[in-house]
C-alpha cells in the first residue's frame, strides 16, 4: 500500500505494465507450442492458418496488439491511482 501511495506515474505504469506483459509473454510461449502442433487454430482474416509460420505470424500480431493495449490500460490505471490516491487508507500511527 505504501508504494501505491508514494510512487510516481512512471513507477505505477511500469509495475502494472510488467505484470501484465509477463502474463502475455507466457501466453505467447504457450501459443507457440499450439502454433506448431495445430496451426489451424489461428485464423488470418477468417481463414485458418495452414502452416506454423502463418500461425506464428498471427501470434506475433496478437502479442503486439496485446502489448499496445496493455500500455494504454496501464497508463490509464496509473492516472486513476494518482487521482484517487488521497482516498486510500493511511498508515495507522503507532
Amino acid at each position: 500500500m505504501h508504494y501505491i501511495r508514494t510512487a510516481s506515474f512512471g513507477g505505477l505504469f511500469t509495475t502494472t505494465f510488467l505484470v501484465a506483459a509477463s502474463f502475455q509473454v507466457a501466453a505467447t510461449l504457450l501459443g507457440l507450442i499450439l502454433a506448431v502442433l495445430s496451426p489451424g487454430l489461428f485464423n488470418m482474416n477468417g481463414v485458418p492458418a495452414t502452416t506454423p509460420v502463418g500461425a506464428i505470424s498471427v501470434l506475433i500480431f496478437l502479442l503486439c496488439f496485446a502489448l499496445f493495449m496493455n500500455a494504454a490500460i496501464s497508463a490509464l490505471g496509473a492516472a486513476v491511482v494518482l487521482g484517487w490516491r488521497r482516498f486510500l487508507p493511511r498508515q495507522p500511527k503507532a
Side-chain angles (χ1 to χ4, degrees):
M1 184 63 85
H2 179 70
Y3 185 74
I4 293 174
R5 272 199 104 9
T6 60
S8 66
F9 176 83
L12 293 170
F13 172 81
T14 302
T15 301
T16 57
F17 182 83
L18 289 178
V19 168
S22 63
F23 171 77
Q24 291 166 348
V25 169
T28 300
L29 293 175
L30 290 174
L32 283 173
I33 295 169
L34 284 173
V36 171
L37 296 178
S38 182
L41 292 174
F42 296 88
N43 289 328
M44 301 180 302
N45 294 328
V47 178
T50 56
T51 64
V53 173
I56 290 171
S57 66
V58 171
L59 194 60
I60 290 171
F61 171 77
L62 289 174
L63 177 64
C64 291
F65 181 76
L67 288 174
F68 175 77
M69 291 303 296
N70 178 15
I73 293 168
S74 294
L76 182 62
V80 167
V81 168
L82 287 177
W84 288 91
R85 182 183 288 201
R86 65 178 166 251
F87 298 112
L88 293 174
R90 297 194 182 267
Q91 283 284 66
K93 294 185 179 180

